[in-house]
Amino acid sequence: MVMNIREKYEKLEEKILSPLATLSKNTVGRLRSEDKCEIRTEFQRDRDRIIHSKSFRRLKHKTQVFIAPEGDHYRTRLTHTLEVSQIARTMARAIGLNEDLTEAIALGHDLGHTPFGHTGERVLNEIAKEGFRHNEQSLRVVDYLEKSKGLNLTGEVRDGILCHSGDLIPKTNEGKIVKLSDKIAYINHDIDDAIRAGIISLEDIPKECIDTLGRSHSERLNTMITAIVNHALKFGEIKFDGPIGEATWELRRFMFKNVYIGSNAKKEEEKAMHCVEELFNYYKQHPDRMPEEYIKKIEEWGLERVVCDYIAGMTDRFAITEYMNIFVPHPWKKNY
């Protein structure tokens, strides 16, 4: 029997990947059984399904830090996702991990983010009885919401998406790489955006962080990435340790204090919170105003869960437009 292309890739993984890697042929499988592709490995298929999803495309109009920024160079949730993917793939390749699995997790990790970023997430978590966390919502997107039946991804990708934030620990080393890459990406690109916006200056950053990690964006990225790669190659574990890790977490604390909480970058936050809360209350009272595909799920999932699903899927601009259409009077026009 002639070996197909997928099987050749699986054989190649066995030869070139590290013992730390997750082999695609050893996947725990999907929620629903499917015939395998003759060309792509299981993790390659997952990556492709995520890239071609509507949820992935909507990330380009969702907030990273700055709500609806007017400048062309501020990050959005999509560009953040791409930067996480690049950082994670670089480390995975250097360590000998499965780059396809790493990329799939990275591209899918924020699919469940709300409009207005963590601001929208915080509002839904406060007002919904069951709470709301974007990592859990990302898993809902790939399991149930996208294409009305989910993307039916492998267990390894699903685990990495769920465990990329908070105290959850991914089961695979590829998932652990993405979890660290997420932090490395947002710490550094948010510094870049905050300096561009005049929120902070380079001189405001703690000197010990600059001395340890580097003065420029690229220097800091290289220092952090190299530290994780070297630790993995030396000790066989994915961990951010030593002075570089300590300086990174100090830099993260600096960003929370000076950018993420109470800075001018958040001056529109109260308006965004009001928008999300009012939409949530409105759709609870008027569920018939949601699309039919959501209305059909109310009996199965409950009204609040469905309203959260609908709002979380909105982009910033769609949420603002919906708010305007519902709550702001339109000028009366005489029909001739």
Side-chain angles (χ1 to χ4, degrees), residues 144-172:
Y144 306 113
L145 300 177
E146 185 65 38
K147 295 186 177 181
S148 299
K149 60 180 181 179
L151 299 177
N152 197 30
L153 304 182
T154 59
E156 290 83 358
V157 174
R158 295 175 61 250
D159 171 77
I161 289 173
L162 176 64
C163 299
H164 83 269
S165 68
D167 296 328
L168 298 172
I169 301 175
K171 295 178 181 177
T172 66

Side-chain angles (χ1 to χ4, degrees), residues 228-269:
I228 294 172
V229 169
N230 286 339
H231 187 90
L233 294 176
K234 184 175 182 180
F235 298 106
E237 61 177 355
I238 309 302
K239 191 175 181 181
F240 218 173
D241 209 2
I244 294 173
E246 293 172 4
T248 300
W249 305 138
E250 177 59 32
L251 192 55
R252 183 173 181 267
R253 287 189 288 271
F254 167 82
M255 290 297 291
F256 269 91
K257 181 179 178 181
N258 294 277
V259 177
Y260 300 142
I261 300 174
S263 74
N264 285 337
K266 297 296 183 179
K267 64 182 180 180
E268 298 297 302
E269 197 169 78

Side-chain angles (χ1 to χ4, degrees), residues 279-301:
L279 288 175
F280 179 84
N281 292 330
Y282 178 82
Y283 289 122
K284 278 189 65 178
Q285 297 172 13
H286 306 278
D288 57 298
R289 289 293 300 270
M290 292 188 292
E292 184 65 25
E293 61 189 281
Y294 289 91
I295 297 174
K296 290 179 179 179
K297 293 294 185 180
I298 292 175
E299 184 175 352
E300 179 181 357
W301 293 336

Side-chain angles (χ1 to χ4, degrees), residues 78-91 102 105-107 109-110 177-186 189:
L78 178 60
T79 57
H80 161 73
T81 295
L82 296 176
E83 291 187 37
V84 172
S85 177
Q86 178 271 314
I87 292 168
R89 288 177 58 211
T90 295
M91 290 195 285
T102 304
I105 296 170
L107 294 176
H109 81 281
D110 269 355
I177 283 290
V178 173
K179 190 180 182 78
L180 288 174
S181 298
D182 185 33
K183 293 177 174 60
I184 291 173
Y186 74 66
H189 65 49

Side-chain angles (χ1 to χ4, degrees), residues 2-16:
V2 177
M3 185 182 298
N4 63 32
I5 295 172
R6 171 184 52 78
E7 290 172 335
K8 290 180 180 178
Y9 269 117
E10 291 173 346
K11 292 290 185 181
L12 185 61
E13 287 181 355
E14 289 184 280
K15 291 180 180 179
I16 67 173

